[in-house]
Amino acid sequence: MKNILSLVIVSFFCSIITFAQAPKKPTSGDIFESIQKLNFLGSVLYIAAHPDDENTRLISYFSNDVKAQTAYLSLTRGDGGQNLVGPEIRELLGVIRTQELLAARRIDGGQQFFTRANDFGYSKHPDETLEIWNKEEVLKDVVAVIRKFKPDVIINRFNHKTPGSTHGHHTSSAMLGFEAFDLASNKNYETHLQDDAIWIPKRLLFNTSWWFYGSEENFEKADKTNLLSLDIGTYYVNKGLSNSEIASLSRSQHQSQGFGSTGTRGSQTEYLEFLKGDFPENKKVFDGIDTSWNRVEEGAKIGKILHKVEKEFDFKNPSASISELVEAYKLIFELKDEHWKAIKLNEIKNIIAACSGLYIEAVANNSSTTSTSKNTIKIEAINRSNFNISLKSVSINPLNITEEKSIQLKQNSPELFTINVTIPSEVKNTFPYWLSEKGTLGMYKVSDKRLISLPETPRDIVVNFILDFNGITIPFSKEVVYKFNDPIKGEVYKPFEILPEVSASFNEKVYIFAYEKSQKIAVKVKSVKDSLQGKISLCIPENWKVSPENYAFKLLQKGEEQSFQFEVVPPVNQMEGIISPIVEIGDEIYTNELVEIDYDYIPFQSVIMPSEAKIVRLNIQKKGQIIGYIQGAGDVIPTSLRQIGYTVIELKDDDITIEKLQNFDAIVLGIRAYNTNDRAKFYQKKLHNYVENGGTMIVQYNTNHRLKVDEVAPYSLKLSRDRVTDENAEVRILNPTHELLNYPNKITQNDFEGWVQERGLYFPSEWDSNFEAILSMNDKNESAKTGSLLIAKYGEGNFIYTGLSFFRELPAGVSGAYKLFANMLSVGKNNTEKSLKD
């Protein structure tokens, strides 16, 4: 199995590996471009901090125009951001953004790498970033990618010389890239790689622009002696797209961040500033680098053959090139340069398959299975050319299954057969490898060093096809997939997953006990195989009580679920802890849950995570009962408010009428509601009218970018980029007697303990005198920020604007955040509570 894993890992550095994607079906134009790329032996590595930091225009240009091996190293997976497509945050958001990057690379032609750095949220200085990340370990990861990918040219997205002027993660990525450039060639510097051979990149560049100079005027005046300029506005005739159009399609894959982009056409200039290495005399990125087949020993004769193939390529009959391609394949197989040998063998095999119309596939009978389970794999092989191809054998690793075939693949005549398999117990589960162990705030823990930098977990189960091309044997490998026909979508592919046989999960991640009485907590048990039986119990912290002690269960069919109600009794005093399910099946104990992420634009994701929930005994008071909630960019605050006894009605546009709003004790706008809802400008006046007539309205943070309304408040209020990123920053109470801090719950500085990731973001910097600031806070060495929580009387009601990160704190079960939010909802209330009218 070790050899198979090593083979899979090598392939990650040689080609774009995609899990559960429909197989590529290249056109003649695609094949021709692949042949051009086959004749270019050069590489570029682009380095930045997050998904969406990459310049897709440059990645597409180097991959599609220059034909270079092009990769993006994103130091993080974007775990600390917000999610515009669903409720997932933190680790699950990182899984989504990983897939978005892979989707982007499938479009622009690049490859994708990562380090173990965890995006812990916004950081104002690289000193903080590198301390939380563990600089030395992340630096080793960067050097390891350079040594493995062997780029001729490295490009930093950000400026390493301006710490503190932008996101600390951004500057850190540039600083690490700058340092790694030299360390990659230092024989005394060791990384985690088994084959830790040094690599000497040719040059390091910085992808600058006028933005880094403060203005276009400043950039025009700047000394450009060290700048290289590239016209990246190429029009690709074979694709019918400009480079910028491809780049926009790529960038638009970052859907969780709302980065849909419209393509442009025409000439467009990018600038690269020389930082280190050999200065390119002609100001060309690959100056002084042999990118021909002469670069490798015995490469000249390969180049002669392949340039002839390129020159004489027949777009109407690509199979005419197969004989010469097979001849070149033999010569590449004999190369001594293992790096370029691996890359070019992979490329030329794909081209040979494409020229012959070869379609080979391995499809499982289920989308998921467990170890020791029996499955069938359907094999399809078809040759759609007149070239002489035969299928010699099919083997499945690591199952030690080999079937000798010796089948002549007749033109356009499919060969179909099935193989019965049993999944070995040693085959690992297929969930994201970086989530398999508990890491730190800034770093993921990856014990298997061979996996570090890979975008996904390599699949153990691989089907190997040995094919004979008129006497020359060529191996092809395919990962097992699952596919089915959807009545709406048609043919749908999903990954073939190896999963634990049972999953246990809670309905909620936080349970708030606002009173002394018990609550029933449901635990859902789901089977991933047929005929499963065992018992389930609940692990609870000290001073809490649970009954019954356990339940026995029996699940007859795969996918069957049962829910079990445990009654949990809280302690008298305020306290919090973690609960987790314990599932016993024979001698095996399971404590994980299966989280499924299903969006149409990325492959289906199965994530195995520790199953746990936070329980909080909270002494909290509230006034008012019925809350109207208008969703924005997506959060789970309505669920959190229901936890403390509120009736929360999530409002649609048609629900926002003057008459219906009168039913509510308060109206809350979700995060970035004024950035994401195009109808907001039409209903905002009705909301302000509601406040004027005595209602309470809470608007959570928005950004200045793409506001859908002219003003975010009934009075003047200017949004800024002010934020407090230190979740432990001191919070100063400006008016201790204010109702917001006293009714119905007393708020003290203790209520700001235990916050997660940040205090808040995008605080207003200026506001009308009708507003009163309630809190003051700031990050280290910064001026006080007083715009985190503002309240104003408007007519008979109260308007509140807050940039405090309640969308993170409430789902995390932060007691003080619940109390403060309850006070905001209760402001101006007496003992009368509304009842919802029809």
Side-chain angles (χ1 to χ4, degrees):
M1 191 164 73
K2 180 179 179 181
N3 291 335
I4 293 298
L5 180 58
S6 299
L7 177 63
V8 173
I9 289 175
V10 168
S11 70
F12 266 90
F13 288 88
C14 300
S15 66
I16 304 169
I17 297 295
T18 60
F19 293 143
Q21 294 296 313
K24 288 186 176 180
K25 299 170 183 177
T27 65
S28 291
D30 296 328
I31 297 171
F32 180 71
E33 290 184 354
S34 296
I35 294 170
Q36 290 179 309
K37 197 177 188 76
L38 187 62
N39 281 322
F40 190 93
L41 283 71
S43 51
V44 176
L45 178 65
Y46 197 89
I47 300 177
H50 309 108
D52 83 25
D53 285 345
E54 82 273 30
N55 185 337
T56 54
R57 296 183 300 275
L58 269 184
I59 291 176
S60 177
Y61 170 79
F62 281 115
S63 178
N64 295 300
D65 191 315
V66 179
K67 309 298 182 187
Q69 299 291 317
T70 308
Y72 174 43
L73 171 57
S74 177
L75 269 58
T76 76
R77 297 177 185 265
D79 327 71
Q82 286 88 52
N83 185 1
L84 297 187
V85 297
E88 297 87 357
I89 59 175
R90 291 302 304 144
E91 291 85 358
L92 294 178
L93 177 58
V95 173
I96 290 174
R97 291 190 172 179
T98 294
Q99 291 301 321
E100 289 177 339
L101 276 174
L102 289 171
R105 300 294 81 81
R106 287 191 286 272
I107 291 172
D108 59 37
Q111 300 175 47
Q112 185 61 54
F113 302 116
F114 295 95
T115 73
R116 287 169 290 167
N118 191 339
D119 178 6
F120 56 86
Y122 193 89
S123 177
K124 293 183 177 178
H125 200 280
D127 288 351
E128 177 197 40
T129 299
L130 295 173
E131 180 180 354
I132 294 175
W133 274 354
N134 187 337
K135 176 191 173 184
E136 292 308 316
E137 290 302 309
V138 179
L139 182 59
K140 285 181 181 179
D141 291 358
V142 177
V143 173
V145 170
I146 294 172
R147 288 179 176 177
K148 194 69 178 179
F149 184 64
K150 301 187 187 318
D152 300 303
V153 178
I154 299 174
I155 302 174
N156 277 345
R157 179 65 178 115
F158 298 105
N159 191 349
H160 72 284
K161 296 175 288 188
T162 56
S165 63
T166 184
H167 197 324
H169 296 184
H170 292 171
T171 309
S172 294
S173 71
M175 294 168 66
L176 292 169
F178 191 84
E179 192 171 348
F181 180 85
D182 293 326
L183 290 175
S185 60
N186 185 341
K187 63 181 180 180
N188 296 318
Y189 187 84
E190 296 182 356
T191 73
H192 58 266
L193 294 175
Q194 290 182 339
D195 179 17
D196 204 12
I198 66 167
W199 175 249
I200 306 174
K202 190 73 171 179
R203 56 186 57 102
L204 175 67
L205 307 170
F206 159 44
N207 183 196
T208 190
S209 69
W210 68 262
W211 187 88
F212 292 96
Y213 288 76
S215 68
E216 294 187 57
E217 184 179 1
N218 290 343
F219 183 65
E220 288 297 321
K221 296 176 182 177
D223 179 10
K224 296 184 177 58
T225 303
N226 274 358
L227 295 191
L228 286 65
S229 62
L230 303 173
D231 184 351
I232 53 88
T234 308
Y235 173 65
Y236 303 115
V237 177
N238 288 335
K239 298 178 183 296
L241 294 168
S242 71
N243 187 71
S244 296
E245 286 174 317
I246 293 173
S248 293
L249 291 171
S250 172
R251 187 160 181 78
S252 295
Q253 300 310 300
H254 297 297
Q255 294 188 26
S256 68
Q257 300 179 77
F259 281 166
S261 177
T262 300
T264 60
R265 290 145 294 280
S267 179
Q268 188 174 5
T269 304
E270 287 283 346
Y271 293 93
L272 301 172
E273 179 184 338
F274 174 78
L275 298 179
K276 274 187 181 182
D278 294 341
F279 186 84
E281 294 183 4
N282 298 314
K283 291 195 172 185
K284 303 295 183 184
V285 171
F286 280 94
D287 274 354
I289 303 170
D290 189 351
T291 59
S292 72
W293 276 102
N294 294 326
R295 178 171 190 161
V296 297
E297 185 180 349
E298 301 296 327
K301 49 188 175 182
I302 299 172
K304 183 177 180 181
I305 295 171
L306 293 179
H307 281 98
K308 181 174 182 291
V309 170
E310 181 179 340
K311 183 179 179 180
E312 298 178 356
F313 182 73
D314 186 346
F315 284 83
K316 293 184 177 180
N317 182 25
S319 64
S321 299
I322 297 177
S323 293
E324 289 171 304
L325 287 168
V326 170
E327 182 183 355
Y329 170 85
K330 287 194 302 178
L331 296 174
I332 294 172
F333 189 81
E334 295 169 357
L335 286 177
K336 297 177 181 179
D337 188 319
E338 294 296 331
H339 175 70
W340 284 110
K341 175 182 175 179
I343 292 172
K344 295 306 175 180
L345 275 180
N346 188 73
E347 287 183 357
I348 199 168
K349 286 199 298 183
N350 289 335
I351 293 170
I352 291 170
C355 286
S356 61
L358 179 66
Y359 186 94
I360 50 179
E361 191 171 65
V363 179
N365 61 319
N366 287 296
S367 63
S368 65
T369 191
T370 63
S371 63
T372 73
S373 293
K374 295 182 179 181
N375 296 267
T376 60
I377 298 177
K378 180 181 178 181
I379 304 296
E380 178 180 354
I382 183 170
N383 168 24
R384 290 171 287 187
S385 73
N386 57 10
F387 197 83
N388 184 22
I389 304 174
S390 60
L391 176 62
K392 306 299 289 183
S393 68
V394 175
S395 61
I396 305 177
N397 289 330
L399 310 187
N400 296 320
I401 293 175
T402 300
E403 292 196 5
E404 303 295 337
K405 291 296 180 183
S406 296
I407 299 173
Q408 185 72 30
L409 297 181
K410 299 176 183 178
Q411 185 178 11
N412 214 29
S413 178
E415 293 290 337
L416 302 170
F417 54 92
T418 60
I419 301 176
N420 296 320
V421 302
T422 299
I423 308 300
S425 59
E426 66 268 20
V427 172
K428 295 180 180 179
N429 294 325
T430 51
F431 65 95
Y433 70 86
W434 62 95
L435 299 180
S436 64
E437 300 178 80
K438 189 173 180 62
T440 65
L441 173 64
M443 292 288 289
Y444 283 116
K445 183 179 179 182
V446 182
S447 295
D448 188 342
K449 305 302 182 186
R450 297 170 297 174
L451 300 177
I452 296 173
S453 81
L454 301 185
E456 298 180 278
T457 305
R459 267 29 179 186
D460 281 347
I461 301 179
V462 178
V463 177
N464 300 306
F465 298 79
I466 303 300
L467 293 160
D468 182 289
F469 287 77
N470 204 20
I472 303 301
T473 299
I474 301 178
F476 291 84
S477 295
K478 291 288 182 179
E479 291 178 5
V480 179
V481 297
Y482 172 72
K483 70 176 181 180
F484 64 96
N485 183 71
D486 182 275
I488 305 299
K489 302 173 185 176
E491 187 177 58
V492 176
Y493 280 77
K494 292 180 71 174
F496 178 56
E497 305 279 22
I498 312 297
L499 302 173
E501 58 186 10
V502 70
S503 164
S505 59
F506 296 102
N507 291 337
E508 309 292 346
K509 289 301 181 185
V510 175
Y511 293 92
I512 303 295
F513 291 75
Y515 312 99
E516 292 183 27
K517 65 180 183 180
S518 64
Q519 278 192 47
K520 289 186 176 180
I521 293 180
V523 182
K524 181 175 65 178
V525 179
K526 182 177 181 179
S527 174
V528 188
K529 63 182 295 186
D530 293 335
S531 301
L532 197 68
Q533 61 182 355
K535 65 179 181 178
I536 181 169
S537 57
L538 199 61
C539 179
I540 63 170
E542 190 177 357
N543 297 321
W544 297 71
K545 298 178 181 179
V546 61
S547 64
E549 184 177 337
N550 61 64
Y551 287 98
F553 66 85
K554 187 174 183 179
L555 301 171
L556 300 178
Q557 293 184 325
K558 176 181 178 179
E560 186 178 348
E561 297 177 352
Q562 286 185 21
S563 185
F564 302 94
Q565 299 274 352
F566 288 92
E567 188 165 6
V568 176
V569 181
V572 175
N573 298 323
Q574 188 161 305
M575 185 180 297
E576 60 185 48
I578 299 295
I579 57 174
S580 58
I582 300 174
V583 180
E584 298 176 62
I585 300 176
D587 295 331
E588 297 292 328
I589 294 178
Y590 299 87
T591 59
N592 290 329
E593 68 172 314
L594 170 63
V595 180
E596 297 178 333
I597 301 175
D598 190 9
Y599 294 104
D600 286 342
Y601 70 104
I602 59 175
F604 185 91
Q605 298 294 300
S606 297
V607 184
I608 307 297
M609 301 181 69
S611 183
E612 58 183 32
K614 188 174 184 179
I615 50 176
V616 181
R617 170 66 176 100
L618 176 60
N619 293 319
I620 189 171
Q621 303 295 321
K622 63 183 182 64
K623 296 295 179 181
Q625 180 62 35
I626 303 171
I627 309 301
Y629 202 91
I630 301 172
Q631 279 286 2
D635 58 59
V636 294
I637 286 181
T639 299
S640 299
L641 296 180
R642 292 182 185 114
Q643 284 275 351
I644 55 175
Y646 282 106
T647 301
V648 183
I649 311 292
E650 296 185 49
L651 303 179
K652 305 299 183 184
D653 291 352
D654 293 342
D655 298 324
I656 306 173
T657 66
I658 293 176
E659 182 180 22
K660 290 183 179 181
L661 291 175
Q662 293 174 0
N663 296 328
F664 297 98
D665 291 296
I667 300 294
V668 182
L669 269 64
I671 59 173
R672 298 182 62 187
Y674 284 153
N675 293 129
T676 59
N677 195 324
D678 290 322
R679 300 290 301 173
K681 60 185 176 183
F682 299 113
Y683 63 63
Q684 187 192 50
K685 187 175 180 180
K686 298 172 186 175
L687 295 174
H688 290 173
N689 180 270
Y690 160 78
V691 179
E692 195 171 19
N693 289 329
T696 297
M697 178 179 174
I698 301 170
V699 177
Q700 297 182 85
Y701 94 91
N702 288 270
T703 70
N704 267 325
H705 185 54
R706 296 179 179 174
L707 271 175
K708 308 297 185 182
V709 293
D710 295 330
E711 297 284 348
V712 297
Y715 300 118
S716 175
L717 185 151
K718 182 179 179 181
L719 299 179
S720 73
R721 297 185 66 83
D722 287 349
R723 61 203 302 164
V724 176
T725 62
D726 182 357
E727 63 269 33
N728 299 310
E730 179 189 4
V731 176
R732 296 172 294 275
I733 294 174
L734 298 178
N735 182 357
T737 64
H738 196 282
E739 180 184 5
L740 272 184
L741 303 174
N742 292 277
Y743 181 79
N745 303 288
K746 178 67 176 178
I747 303 297
T748 69
Q749 288 182 330
N750 293 337
D751 291 303
F752 295 96
E753 295 178 359
W755 285 49
V756 298
Q757 187 161 325
E758 61 196 349
R759 290 293 189 199
L761 61 171
Y762 298 107
F763 298 161
S765 57
E766 299 176 16
W767 49 85
D768 187 272
S769 59
N770 282 288
F771 281 106
E772 181 175 357
I774 305 299
L775 304 173
S776 174
M777 60 190 74
N778 56 272
D779 283 321
K780 185 178 179 181
N781 299 324
E782 290 193 357
S783 61
K785 305 295 186 290
T786 58
S788 64
L789 180 57
L790 304 173
I791 183 169
K793 196 73 177 175
Y794 183 66
E796 299 299 318
N798 292 279
F799 180 91
I800 297 172
Y801 187 91
T802 180
L804 293 171
S805 59
F806 289 108
F807 72 101
R808 296 195 190 280
E809 312 313 321
L810 298 191
V814 178
S815 300
Y818 273 93
K819 291 167 63 178
L820 182 53
F821 210 99
N823 280 16
M824 293 192 301
L825 293 171
S826 302
V827 67
K829 301 290 187 297
N830 55 29
N831 292 327
T832 303
E833 296 180 348
K834 297 180 185 294
S835 60
L836 188 64
K837 301 175 183 177
D838 293 334

